[in-house]
Amino acid sequence: MTQFGAIFVDSLRLLRGRSLFWITLGISLFAGLMYLSIGFTATGYSVGFGLVAVDHPAIRAGSPMAGMFYFAIFSVFLVNVWLSWVAVVLALITCAPIFPEFMAEGAAGSVLSKPISRWRLFAYKYVCGLLFALIQTAAFCVLVFLAMRWRVGSWNPTIFWAVPLITLMFSYLWAVMVAVGIKTRSVMAALLSVMVVWMSCWMAKVVDDFAWSASESGEIPTISGGERLSTSEQATWKRYQALAELPYRSLPKTTDTVNLLQRFVRLEGDREFSMSEVTTATLNGVPAKDTEVDASMTRGSPQWIIGSSLVFELMVVAYAGWLFCRRDF
């Protein structure tokens, strides 16, 4: 543990020297403070700690809809936009220099001259990147947790499901960035490569959802709702479904890992609401039952989503570790 502590401090010193860690952590905390600034008055709600007030007969202090509205902001914006995209991008930018800078000529020599194996050194550095992402996500979730208690009067520990799930999602991409960073010793190449992989994961998910909807329900999603397929067209999609799903099954499930929050985070009230129900009620204006939630979001078990993604990550990490042990420093 002494060796790990020294390597963690060394990685933190590298990021602190470039101000990356503190800048990205500050941005995450600012987002949490903005959420905290939303409050409720006797006639409606306010933003910016009372700077802007909005009158609303249903969403006001003490009303049942106040808690639903506040939770909806978390589920619709903070989860689907901030935690799913912005926070992960910030974490990737924060951790991108760790391996390329460490592998710069002479930088790793002083560490390798001490009694520590290359595999252990690689593992310690890899875990350091995950810890930095975890710290940023945890700090943000603590602010959200306190904000919900202050603004709507309820403790909601299910929010902290975001910490392991977002860190898991980050780890899939972090493995790719580490492998490219070790191979090229370039921060920019590592960042660009991981963005390409991330976009590929998203596109594979879109194609998979399209193929599943066409083959199982006989309906193609459109902007206006859905287009029904004929029996022969649906049969054709069933024949090609396995091929269409192949990229999705091979790549890590970044989107589905974050979507697990829709199942695990819940709102207590007159009855327990899932985050999916709150999101649907906010977007459509009417509450939804669990059975009405998009089936494509819940058709994969958490064990399969996480397990298949970790298989991909372990393969990439093994390759990155092999490269690291073979490189000359």
Side-chain angles (χ1 to χ4, degrees), residues 58-112:
I59 304 174
R60 54 184 175 78
S63 68
M65 282 298 297
M68 183 78 76
F69 173 76
Y70 205 66
F71 190 78
I73 297 174
F74 173 76
S75 63
V76 174
F77 177 74
L78 295 185
V79 170
N80 293 333
V81 177
W82 185 264
L83 289 176
S84 300
W85 294 95
V86 181
V88 176
V89 170
L90 291 176
L92 289 171
I93 294 173
T94 299
C95 300
I98 290 180
F99 274 92
E101 293 286 338
F102 179 70
M103 297 183 67
E105 187 173 353
S110 59
V111 178
L112 290 171

Side-chain angles (χ1 to χ4, degrees), residues 234-294:
Q234 186 175 356
T236 301
W237 272 105
K238 283 183 178 292
R239 289 197 296 270
Y240 291 106
Q241 182 182 6
L243 181 62
E245 290 180 340
L246 185 60
Y248 168 75
R249 295 183 178 277
S250 304
L251 292 169
K253 318 303 181 288
T254 53
T255 302
D256 281 339
T257 299
V258 176
N259 284 344
L260 289 176
L261 287 171
Q262 302 284 348
R263 309 191 203 183
F264 297 159
V265 179
R266 310 191 72 83
L267 173 67
E268 298 289 344
D270 295 335
R271 68 179 183 87
E272 195 178 61
F273 290 89
S274 70
M275 200 160 73
S276 295
E277 292 180 274
V278 175
T279 303
T280 304
T282 303
L283 296 177
N284 299 336
V286 294
K289 299 178 181 179
D290 282 331
T291 55
E292 296 174 353
V293 176
D294 184 6

Side-chain angles (χ1 to χ4, degrees), residues 277-316:
E277 292 180 274
V278 175
T279 303
T280 304
T282 303
L283 296 177
N284 299 336
V286 294
K289 299 178 181 179
D290 282 331
T291 55
E292 296 174 353
V293 176
D294 184 6
S296 66
M297 185 179 292
T298 58
R299 61 192 174 95
S301 69
Q303 294 82 1
W304 182 82
I305 292 171
I306 295 175
S308 59
S309 301
L310 286 178
V311 169
F312 174 91
E313 180 180 352
L314 289 174
M315 292 174 62
V316 176

Side-chain angles (χ1 to χ4, degrees), residues 206-224:
V206 172
V207 172
D208 175 68
D209 283 345
F210 188 92
W212 181 85
S213 179
S215 62
E216 297 297 327
S217 64
E219 185 175 270
I220 295 180
T222 62
I223 297 176
S224 59

Side-chain angles (χ1 to χ4, degrees), residues 3-34:
Q3 291 176 331
F4 175 77
I7 292 172
F8 180 83
V9 171
D10 180 69
S11 299
L12 181 59
R13 188 181 296 115
L14 182 151
L15 299 179
R16 186 176 59 186
R18 292 174 174 265
S19 301
L20 282 174
F21 178 73
W22 301 111
I23 290 174
T24 53
L25 180 61
I27 294 173
S28 294
L29 293 178
F30 176 75
L33 285 174
M34 288 301 296

Side-chain angles (χ1 to χ4, degrees), residues 99 119 122-123 126-127 130 171-179 182 309-325:
F99 274 92
W119 271 108
F122 168 79
Y126 187 82
V127 172
L130 297 180
S171 72
Y172 312 151
L173 304 175
W174 172 232
V176 174
M177 191 160 62
V178 168
I182 292 174
S309 301
L310 286 178
V311 169
F312 174 91
E313 180 180 352
L314 289 174
M315 292 174 62
V316 176
V317 169
Y319 172 70
W322 177 77
L323 282 178
F324 183 83
C325 294

Side-chain angles (χ1 to χ4, degrees), residues 138-160:
F140 176 79
C141 288
V142 167
L143 273 178
V144 171
F145 180 71
L146 295 175
M148 285 194 175
R149 172 59 181 174
W150 183 19
R151 296 305 189 184
V152 298
S154 65
W155 297 110
N156 193 344
T158 63
I159 288 170
F160 288 103

